[in-house]
Amino acid sequence: MPGSFDGRPLPFVVMLHGCTQSPDDFAAGTRMNALAEEHTFLVAYPAQSHDANASRCWNWFNAGDQRRDRGEPSLIAGITRQIMDDFPVDPDRVFAAGLSAGGATAAIMGATYPDLYRAIGVHSGLACGAARDMPSAFSAMRQGGASTGGASPRIEGRMVPTIVFHGDGDTTVHPLNGAQVVAQAVAQANAGENLRTTTLSGQAPGGISYTRQVQCDDAGRSVLEHWVLHGAGHAWSGGSASGSYTEPRGPDASREMVRFFLQHDRP
């Protein structure tokens, strides 16, 4: 529980690690625990078991693990709901984020449980439905997913706000996949929704430059953000070298995700 907890229900972030990572490794690399103390929210790190995947990857590429109330999405949603039952969580401020296979799984959670997760963050991941089996997974990682139309019924008109980070030098998961995550979120939006798009450029103190495309709703809140990290590879931007798969020289993806999440405090 954050040290500044005052009894009021808290925001809650579910963090999904990448392949070969552990929850402790992912927590160290993203520094999300420090942000939880700073901004007073709860954070949990579900662990993939070695028995479910030899490399501890979430099985985002299996058709059976892309549907509501089935496979791994049902397990992650169950963990989320259990923590919501056991701790003082604000049900309108529950979020999911992940890296690589965890990022792809965060996209699946947003597509299959838009009633549970208020917003999602996808770092170096793929869209829900980008692959259906192992061969199509390798194809999607090399050149982008063939089909990203979503895998489950959604709440009509309920777009899950989405923030995406992807390095344009990523040779593990092609950066086209980041654009496909954004396109899938747009497809979930109500056809009549009017989003204003702004494109910004900048450079992190560590030296990595980026292009940030922001789409805002009528209230001025950013509902879609796509950060393209120029020259960055397959690693969590702005992360700590104490964790694996981090790029400390980039903009702070953890802080930006928390900023993005906490602006979406009510449906």
Side-chain angles (χ1 to χ4, degrees):
M1 193 69 68
S4 55
F5 174 61
D6 62 4
R8 289 180 291 183
L10 299 174
F12 174 34
V13 179
V14 178
M15 294 287 288
L16 301 169
H17 63 76
C19 297
T20 74
Q21 292 183 311
S22 68
D24 288 344
D25 176 24
F26 194 42
T30 61
R31 292 187 288 225
M32 194 60 80
N33 289 345
L35 288 169
E37 283 290 336
E38 179 181 340
H39 293 280
T40 316
F41 63 86
L42 296 174
V43 59
Y45 303 85
Q48 175 65 302
S49 74
H50 187 269
D51 291 340
N53 185 291
S55 297
R56 300 190 189 277
C57 305
W58 299 101
N59 292 303
W60 60 271
F61 49 84
N62 285 340
D65 291 304
Q66 297 171 1
R67 302 193 68 83
R68 185 182 180 96
D69 300 330
R70 304 275 288 277
E72 290 178 359
S74 69
L75 297 177
I76 295 168
I79 291 169
T80 302
R81 288 173 174 146
Q82 186 63 56
I83 292 173
M84 292 171 70
D85 287 342
D86 293 345
F87 294 91
V89 172
D90 182 345
D92 290 331
R93 294 189 291 173
V94 177
F95 314 99
L99 170 68
S100 190
T105 302
I108 290 170
M109 300 312 295
T112 55
Y113 291 91
D115 51 334
L116 182 59
Y117 299 100
R118 181 73 186 104
I120 62 168
V122 178
H123 202 313
S124 309
L126 305 92
C128 178
R132 307 297 288 175
D133 51 27
M134 188 69 77
S136 62
F138 285 118
S139 176
M141 292 168 67
R142 284 194 306 269
Q143 60 190 26
S147 173
T148 57
S152 176
R154 62 181 174 83
I155 295 177
E156 203 61 38
R158 166 74 168 102
M159 181 184 69
V160 177
T162 301
I163 182 169
V164 173
F165 284 80
H166 213 118
D168 63 9
D170 191 335
T171 58
T172 301
V173 176
H174 194 285
L176 176 60
N177 287 286
Q180 289 180 329
V181 173
V182 174
Q184 186 171 76
V186 170
Q188 285 185 308
N190 210 347
E193 190 160 2
N194 182 29
L195 299 179
R196 300 187 305 279
T197 302
T198 304
T199 301
L200 308 167
S201 297
Q203 187 175 51
I208 288 183
S209 61
Y210 59 85
T211 300
R212 174 189 175 207
Q213 185 183 77
V214 181
Q215 299 187 52
C216 294
D217 61 15
D218 290 336
R221 293 174 302 184
S222 60
V223 295
L224 293 170
E225 294 194 18
H226 185 195
W227 294 64
V228 177
L229 313 169
H230 301 304
H234 193 68
W236 189 274
S237 182
S240 168
S242 61
S244 64
Y245 297 104
T246 62
E247 175 46 271
R249 299 175 301 154
D252 190 339
S254 296
R255 185 170 293 277
E256 294 296 342
M257 285 188 183
V258 170
R259 183 263 312 161
F260 180 83
F261 290 160
L262 295 184
Q263 70 175 334
H264 296 286
D265 59 353
R266 287 293 181 270

